């Protein structure tokens, strides 16, 4: 049986590459569970509000994943487009 812990640790960068949002809550455990599976799928969802100071364009979400038990870390990135209506 393997232990899993998940904390909110991510950044969002605007189309110019500037960091506009950063969460690093290493001390606040978001998920604390165990599993018998070799791989586990965990859904991650959050939102952030924007105002007119956020330009339209392609933003990048960087999600920092760390396995404390194996002392491994990786960064996953995903782009999304902000469009004003």
């Amino acid at each position: 049986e393997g232990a899993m812990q998940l904390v909110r640790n991510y950044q969002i960068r605007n189309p110019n590459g500037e960091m506009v949002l950063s969460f690093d809550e290493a001390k606040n455990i978001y998920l604390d569970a165990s599993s018998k599976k070799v791989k586990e799928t965990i859904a991650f969802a959050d939102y952030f509000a924007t105002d007119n100071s956020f330009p339209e364009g392609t933003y990048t979400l960087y999600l920092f994943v760390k396995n404390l038990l194996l002392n491994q870390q990786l960064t996953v990135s995903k782009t999304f487009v902000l469009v004003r209506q």
Side-chain angles (χ1 to χ4, degrees):
E1 194 168 314
M4 299 180 295
Q5 288 187 331
L6 178 65
V7 297
R8 290 190 345 168
N9 189 0
Y10 60 92
Q11 294 177 354
I12 296 176
R13 294 188 178 263
N14 69 15
N16 297 324
E18 301 165 329
M19 187 179 357
V20 294
L21 186 65
S22 178
F23 281 101
D24 185 0
E25 298 182 351
K27 295 180 182 173
N28 295 326
I29 297 173
Y30 177 74
L31 172 73
D32 194 2
S34 61
S35 175
K36 295 181 180 182
K37 297 179 182 179
V38 174
K39 290 184 178 182
E40 188 72 44
T41 300
I42 299 170
F44 173 83
D46 208 343
Y47 72 94
F48 66 102
T50 63
D51 58 24
N52 289 333
S53 67
F54 285 75
E56 290 185 325
T58 301
Y59 285 70
T60 306
L61 167 70
Y62 294 96
L63 178 62
F64 306 105
V65 181
K66 188 172 188 178
N67 183 330
L68 299 174
L69 299 174
L70 299 177
N71 198 24
Q72 294 177 338
Q73 183 170 332
L74 65 95
T75 302
V76 179
S77 64
K78 178 73 176 171
T79 58
F80 62 95
V81 179
L82 175 65
V83 178
R84 300 246 179 251
Q85 294 184 350

